[in-house]
Amino acid sequence: MREVAFIKQNKEKWLEFEQAIFGKAKKNPDELASLYIHLVNDLSYAQTYYPKSKTVVYLNHLASRVYQKIYKTKREETNRVIHFFKTEVPLLVYEYRRYVLYAFLLFFLCTGIGVISAHNDATFVRLIMGDGYVNMTLENIEKGNPVAVYKSGSGWGSFIGITLNNLIVGAKFYVYGIFIGIGTFLALLQNSIMLGSFQYFFYHENVFWESVRGIWIHGAMEIFAMVIEAGCGFILGASILFPKTFSRMNSFKTGFKDSLKIFLSTMPFTVAAGFLEGFITRYSIDMPRALNIIIILGTLSLITYYFLVYPYIVNRKTSKNHVPTL
């Protein structure tokens, strides 16, 4: 059968799938399961006879969406929160993994720009961080504690203030994606350059490792979450720029819903980073160096596993149940 005839023959059925996916037509789990079986059959046929066609991409996307709707109704997933973090978010992170990759590549590139700029221009750090902050840090270095700024204020006050600020910054990274991703890029550019220049400043003052012991106790999760939030902004922007076979509005609705779920999953890590910054970082210089390393590597390993490793494990498990993946 020619591809045009195949599309014409099944067009109405696929439109029904779209209606079910985007909530315009209510389907119970049994009806969705029936639709899913038909859709997988069509996908298999298209993969066999039109392997490089956009029809395969379209059907693969529909099949993944229908499966997610069915999967959420499984009886064993009685706890919605557990299902959200255990299955739903990892599958979404895997589906949009290229945008997470873009965010990390841009983060490392822009951080490198900050390092190089600070290396070549002695005034660059003051331009980025401000004279007041730089002078205060220099005074702390002279006193023997480069990260003494984290000792200011009470533990609870610092924790609440820092966490709220980080949540707001993360929300900006995400929401700015509405400007076709450009706003997210600029926010990531600014913060990454700031980080790179600030770390080089400590290196230039010969207290690099002392700064790492303090900053990255909370920074491992805080910065990592920031990059994931930037990835969410890119997903949002891409849903507007690249609607594929869907209408731009439907593409945006899907992109917004999916990216919001991933963004919400970063919040526990942001809160945990705020707790570490408020209560633990202030003791970084006083604690044994081995403990610094354990906390930094432990927090980094936890968030890395959840966002970069676990999604592949969940996807592989679902693939064994004949779940098509993008």
Side-chain angles (χ1 to χ4, degrees):
M1 183 187 302
R2 296 181 60 187
E3 185 178 4
V4 174
F6 175 69
I7 294 173
K8 185 176 181 180
Q9 176 180 313
N10 295 284
K11 181 179 178 181
E12 293 300 322
K13 180 173 59 177
W14 298 343
L15 288 175
E16 184 181 359
F17 296 157
E18 284 195 39
Q19 296 288 329
I21 291 170
F22 295 112
K24 295 179 180 178
K26 300 298 181 181
K27 299 287 184 182
N28 62 45
D30 291 334
E31 290 176 318
L32 284 174
S34 177
L35 291 176
Y36 178 71
I37 292 171
H38 287 289
L39 191 55
V40 169
N41 290 336
D42 291 342
L43 175 60
S44 298
Y45 186 91
Q47 287 174 328
T48 300
Y49 295 101
Y50 326 113
K52 297 182 179 181
S53 170
K54 290 184 178 180
T55 303
V56 174
V57 177
Y58 170 73
L59 293 176
N60 198 24
H61 182 68
L62 283 183
S64 296
R65 294 294 173 184
V66 174
Y67 176 82
Q68 288 177 16
K69 279 185 171 289
I70 297 170
Y71 200 81
K72 286 190 294 185
T73 65
K74 293 182 72 175
R75 293 182 178 179
E76 59 266 29
E77 297 288 0
T78 55
N79 190 311
R80 185 67 182 86
V81 175
I82 292 176
H83 170 74
F84 178 78
F85 286 100
K86 181 182 176 182
T87 303
E88 194 169 356
V89 168
L91 284 175
L92 288 172
V93 172
Y94 181 85
E95 179 179 344
Y96 293 103
R97 59 195 180 279
R98 62 185 177 276
Y99 296 106
V100 175
L101 174 62
Y102 299 156
F104 271 102
L105 291 176
L106 285 171
F107 165 72
F108 287 120
L109 175 63
C110 296
T111 300
I113 291 173
V115 171
I116 295 172
S117 299
H119 173 73
N120 292 311
D121 185 353
T123 64
F124 186 76
V125 175
R126 291 184 176 274
L127 177 66
I128 296 296
M129 306 301 298
D131 288 331
Y133 193 84
V134 172
N135 291 336
M136 178 188 66
T137 304
L138 287 172
E139 291 177 4
N140 290 333
I141 292 173
E142 291 178 4
K143 294 176 182 177
N145 188 354
V147 290
V149 64
Y150 297 111
K151 284 190 173 183
S152 61
S154 65
W156 279 106
S158 298
F159 164 55
I160 295 172
I162 291 166
T163 300
L164 288 176
N165 177 72
N166 290 343
L167 289 173
I168 292 172
V169 171
K172 290 180 179 179
F173 270 77
Y174 171 50
V175 174
Y176 287 171
I178 197 72
F179 302 107
I180 60 174
I182 296 175
T184 296
F185 169 74
L186 293 176
L188 183 63
L189 174 69
Q190 178 184 5
N191 283 269
S192 300
I193 289 177
M194 184 183 298
L195 174 64
S197 62
F198 193 49
Q199 281 288 201
Y200 181 82
F201 169 71
F202 285 112
Y203 172 81
H204 183 264
E205 297 298 325
N206 298 313
V207 289
F208 176 74
W209 290 112
E210 288 80 358
S211 71
V212 168
R213 289 176 61 187
I215 294 172
W216 290 96
I217 281 180
H218 61 271
M221 285 200 293
E222 179 183 313
I223 300 301
F224 200 113
M226 178 188 78
V227 178
I228 297 297
E229 289 154 357
C232 294
F234 292 143
I235 293 170
L236 190 61
S239 70
I240 301 172
L241 278 175
F242 310 112
K244 297 182 180 178
T245 57
F246 301 100
S247 70
R248 201 170 299 275
M249 179 56 68
N250 281 339
S251 176
F252 171 70
K253 288 179 180 178
T254 300
F256 172 72
K257 183 173 67 174
D258 292 346
S259 59
L260 178 61
K261 289 177 181 178
I262 299 174
F263 168 71
L264 292 176
S265 73
T266 67
M267 288 188 172
F269 295 99
T270 301
V271 173
F275 176 84
L276 290 171
E277 187 171 354
F279 290 99
I280 308 299
T281 301
R282 61 180 62 229
Y283 302 113
S284 61
I285 297 298
D286 303 319
M287 68 175 62
R289 184 167 299 180
L291 183 57
N292 291 106
I293 295 174
I294 290 173
I295 295 175
I296 292 171
L297 293 182
T299 55
L300 181 60
S301 298
L302 177 64
I303 193 169
T304 299
Y305 176 80
Y306 183 74
F307 284 108
L308 300 186
V309 179
Y310 186 59
Y312 284 85
I313 295 174
V314 175
N315 179 74
R316 186 167 63 248
K317 289 181 179 178
T318 56
S319 296
K320 291 180 180 178
N321 295 323
H322 310 289
V323 183
T325 57
L326 292 176

mmCIF file of all heavy atoms in Angstrom, residues 133-154:
data_model
loop_
_atom_site.group_PDB
_atom_site.id
_atom_site.type_symbol
_atom_site.label_atom_id
_atom_site.label_comp_id
_atom_site.label_asym_id
_atom_site.label_seq_id
_atom_site.Cartn_x
_atom_site.Cartn_y
_atom_site.Cartn_z
ATOM 1 N N TYR A 133 30.488 42.609 46.961
ATOM 2 C CA TYR A 133 30.598 41.170 47.214
ATOM 3 C C TYR A 133 32.036 40.691 47.081
ATOM 4 O O TYR A 133 32.514 39.876 47.878
ATOM 5 C CB TYR A 133 29.703 40.404 46.243
ATOM 6 C CG TYR A 133 29.507 38.956 46.618
ATOM 7 C CD1 TYR A 133 28.534 38.583 47.536
ATOM 8 C CD2 TYR A 133 30.316 37.962 46.076
ATOM 9 C CE1 TYR A 133 28.351 37.254 47.893
ATOM 10 C CE2 TYR A 133 30.145 36.630 46.420
ATOM 11 C CZ TYR A 133 29.157 36.283 47.335
ATOM 12 O OH TYR A 133 28.999 34.974 47.698
ATOM 13 N N VAL A 134 32.739 41.206 46.068
ATOM 14 C CA VAL A 134 34.133 40.809 45.863
ATOM 15 C C VAL A 134 34.997 41.262 47.029
ATOM 16 O O VAL A 134 35.830 40.495 47.543
ATOM 17 C CB VAL A 134 34.668 41.374 44.533
ATOM 18 C CG1 VAL A 134 36.179 41.130 44.421
ATOM 19 C CG2 VAL A 134 33.948 40.740 43.352
ATOM 20 N N ASN A 135 34.810 42.512 47.476
ATOM 21 C CA ASN A 135 35.603 43.022 48.605
ATOM 22 C C ASN A 135 35.323 42.227 49.875
ATOM 23 O O ASN A 135 36.246 41.922 50.652
ATOM 24 C CB ASN A 135 35.302 44.506 48.831
ATOM 25 C CG ASN A 135 35.826 45.383 47.707
ATOM 26 O OD1 ASN A 135 36.765 45.002 47.001
ATOM 27 N ND2 ASN A 135 35.224 46.547 47.524
ATOM 28 N N MET A 136 34.066 41.885 50.116
ATOM 29 C CA MET A 136 33.718 41.085 51.285
ATOM 30 C C MET A 136 34.380 39.714 51.222
ATOM 31 O O MET A 136 34.906 39.206 52.220
ATOM 32 C CB MET A 136 32.198 40.924 51.378
ATOM 33 C CG MET A 136 31.741 40.043 52.551
ATOM 34 S SD MET A 136 29.966 39.692 52.493
ATOM 35 C CE MET A 136 29.871 38.691 51.001
ATOM 36 N N THR A 137 34.384 39.121 50.044
ATOM 37 C CA THR A 137 35.000 37.802 49.881
ATOM 38 C C THR A 137 36.504 37.871 50.091
ATOM 39 O O THR A 137 37.100 36.976 50.704
ATOM 40 C CB THR A 137 34.687 37.232 48.483
ATOM 41 O OG1 THR A 137 33.268 37.188 48.292
ATOM 42 C CG2 THR A 137 35.254 35.832 48.332
ATOM 43 N N LEU A 138 37.134 38.946 49.611
ATOM 44 C CA LEU A 138 38.574 39.112 49.826
ATOM 45 C C LEU A 138 38.897 39.231 51.317
ATOM 46 O O LEU A 138 39.894 38.680 51.796
ATOM 47 C CB LEU A 138 39.070 40.353 49.073
ATOM 48 C CG LEU A 138 39.163 40.226 47.545
ATOM 49 C CD1 LEU A 138 39.478 41.572 46.918
ATOM 50 C CD2 LEU A 138 40.230 39.198 47.158
ATOM 51 N N GLU A 139 38.041 39.928 52.046
ATOM 52 C CA GLU A 139 38.235 40.045 53.494
ATOM 53 C C GLU A 139 38.101 38.686 54.168
ATOM 54 O O GLU A 139 38.876 38.351 55.081
ATOM 55 C CB GLU A 139 37.211 41.023 54.079
ATOM 56 C CG GLU A 139 37.431 42.473 53.662
ATOM 57 C CD GLU A 139 36.344 43.389 54.200
ATOM 58 O OE1 GLU A 139 35.469 42.896 54.963
ATOM 59 O OE2 GLU A 139 36.350 44.588 53.845
ATOM 60 N N ASN A 140 37.134 37.899 53.720
ATOM 61 C CA ASN A 140 36.947 36.557 54.291
ATOM 62 C C ASN A 140 38.137 35.655 53.988
ATOM 63 O O ASN A 140 38.539 34.830 54.818
ATOM 64 C CB ASN A 140 35.666 35.920 53.729
ATOM 65 C CG ASN A 140 34.413 36.600 54.247
ATOM 66 O OD1 ASN A 140 34.412 37.179 55.338
ATOM 67 N ND2 ASN A 140 33.346 36.524 53.474
ATOM 68 N N ILE A 141 38.712 35.809 52.784
ATOM 69 C CA ILE A 141 39.892 35.021 52.424
ATOM 70 C C ILE A 141 41.060 35.368 53.340
ATOM 71 O O ILE A 141 41.797 34.490 53.806
ATOM 72 C CB ILE A 141 40.267 35.254 50.938
ATOM 73 C CG1 ILE A 141 39.189 34.647 50.024
ATOM 74 C CG2 ILE A 141 41.636 34.651 50.616
ATOM 75 C CD1 ILE A 141 39.379 34.972 48.550
ATOM 76 N N GLU A 142 41.224 36.653 53.608
ATOM 77 C CA GLU A 142 42.302 37.083 54.500
ATOM 78 C C GLU A 142 42.113 36.541 55.919
ATOM 79 O O GLU A 142 43.080 36.259 56.628
ATOM 80 C CB GLU A 142 42.362 38.617 54.539
ATOM 81 C CG GLU A 142 42.840 39.241 53.231
ATOM 82 C CD GLU A 142 42.843 40.758 53.298
ATOM 83 O OE1 GLU A 142 42.540 41.308 54.392
ATOM 84 O OE2 GLU A 142 43.167 41.396 52.279
ATOM 85 N N LYS A 143 40.862 36.359 56.316
ATOM 86 C CA LYS A 143 40.571 35.831 57.653
ATOM 87 C C LYS A 143 40.663 34.303 57.701
ATOM 88 O O LYS A 143 40.488 33.708 58.773
ATOM 89 C CB LYS A 143 39.175 36.273 58.085
ATOM 90 C CG LYS A 143 39.045 37.779 58.282
ATOM 91 C CD LYS A 143 37.605 38.159 58.609
ATOM 92 C CE LYS A 143 37.451 39.675 58.769
ATOM 93 N NZ LYS A 143 36.039 40.066 59.026
ATOM 94 N N GLY A 144 40.884 33.669 56.555
ATOM 95 C CA GLY A 144 41.067 32.227 56.525
ATOM 96 C C GLY A 144 39.830 31.416 56.224
ATOM 97 O O GLY A 144 39.863 30.179 56.305
ATOM 98 N N ASN A 145 38.705 32.071 55.863
ATOM 99 C CA ASN A 145 37.487 31.338 55.521
ATOM 100 C C ASN A 145 36.844 31.967 54.288
ATOM 101 O O ASN A 145 36.012 32.875 54.399
ATOM 102 C CB ASN A 145 36.497 31.340 56.684
ATOM 103 C CG ASN A 145 35.304 30.424 56.426
ATOM 104 O OD1 ASN A 145 35.149 29.875 55.338
ATOM 105 N ND2 ASN A 145 34.455 30.244 57.425
ATOM 106 N N PRO A 146 37.201 31.494 53.085
ATOM 107 C CA PRO A 146 36.696 32.097 51.844
ATOM 108 C C PRO A 146 35.177 32.068 51.705
ATOM 109 O O PRO A 146 34.607 32.901 51.001
ATOM 110 C CB PRO A 146 37.351 31.237 50.753
ATOM 111 C CG PRO A 146 38.515 30.586 51.404
ATOM 112 C CD PRO A 146 38.111 30.368 52.827
ATOM 113 N N VAL A 147 34.525 31.112 52.364
ATOM 114 C CA VAL A 147 33.066 30.976 52.224
ATOM 115 C C VAL A 147 32.358 31.367 53.522
ATOM 116 O O VAL A 147 31.299 30.834 53.848
ATOM 117 C CB VAL A 147 32.687 29.539 51.803
ATOM 118 C CG1 VAL A 147 33.119 29.271 50.378
ATOM 119 C CG2 VAL A 147 33.296 28.512 52.748
ATOM 120 N N ALA A 148 32.937 32.311 54.237
ATOM 121 C CA ALA A 148 32.344 32.741 55.506
ATOM 122 C C ALA A 148 30.990 33.405 55.323
ATOM 123 O O ALA A 148 30.212 33.512 56.275
ATOM 124 C CB ALA A 148 33.295 33.698 56.230
ATOM 125 N N VAL A 149 30.690 33.834 54.090
ATOM 126 C CA VAL A 149 29.406 34.476 53.826
ATOM 127 C C VAL A 149 28.245 33.551 54.185
ATOM 128 O O VAL A 149 27.155 34.005 54.558
ATOM 129 C CB VAL A 149 29.319 34.910 52.337
ATOM 130 C CG1 VAL A 149 29.357 33.695 51.420
ATOM 131 C CG2 VAL A 149 28.077 35.739 52.081
ATOM 132 N N TYR A 150 28.479 32.239 54.101
ATOM 133 C CA TYR A 150 27.415 31.283 54.387
ATOM 134 C C TYR A 150 27.159 31.119 55.886
ATOM 135 O O TYR A 150 26.213 30.442 56.275
ATOM 136 C CB TYR A 150 27.755 29.921 53.768
ATOM 137 C CG TYR A 150 27.842 29.967 52.262
ATOM 138 C CD1 TYR A 150 29.065 29.815 51.612
ATOM 139 C CD2 TYR A 150 26.718 30.196 51.484
ATOM 140 C CE1 TYR A 150 29.157 29.868 50.234
ATOM 141 C CE2 TYR A 150 26.800 30.251 50.100
ATOM 142 C CZ TYR A 150 28.026 30.094 49.482
ATOM 143 O OH TYR A 150 28.113 30.149 48.112
ATOM 144 N N LYS A 151 28.014 31.743 56.712
ATOM 145 C CA LYS A 151 27.812 31.685 58.155
ATOM 146 C C LYS A 151 26.900 32.796 58.653
ATOM 147 O O LYS A 151 26.488 32.793 59.815
ATOM 148 C CB LYS A 151 29.161 31.773 58.882
ATOM 149 C CG LYS A 151 29.978 30.489 58.841
ATOM 150 C CD LYS A 151 31.168 30.579 59.788
ATOM 151 C CE LYS A 151 31.884 29.247 59.891
ATOM 152 N NZ LYS A 151 32.995 29.283 60.860
ATOM 153 N N SER A 152 26.625 33.763 57.790
ATOM 154 C CA SER A 152 25.795 34.891 58.208
ATOM 155 C C SER A 152 24.348 34.459 58.372
ATOM 156 O O SER A 152 23.830 33.633 57.620
ATOM 157 C CB SER A 152 25.887 36.015 57.174
ATOM 158 O OG SER A 152 25.427 35.568 55.916
ATOM 159 N N GLY A 153 23.676 35.012 59.367
ATOM 160 C CA GLY A 153 22.268 34.712 59.601
ATOM 161 C C GLY A 153 22.070 33.387 60.299
ATOM 162 O O GLY A 153 22.988 32.573 60.446
ATOM 163 N N SER A 154 20.830 33.152 60.725
ATOM 164 C CA SER A 154 20.503 31.898 61.406
ATOM 165 C C SER A 154 20.309 30.790 60.385
ATOM 166 O O SER A 154 20.110 31.047 59.189
ATOM 167 C CB SER A 154 19.215 32.062 62.218
ATOM 168 O OG SER A 154 18.112 32.300 61.347
#
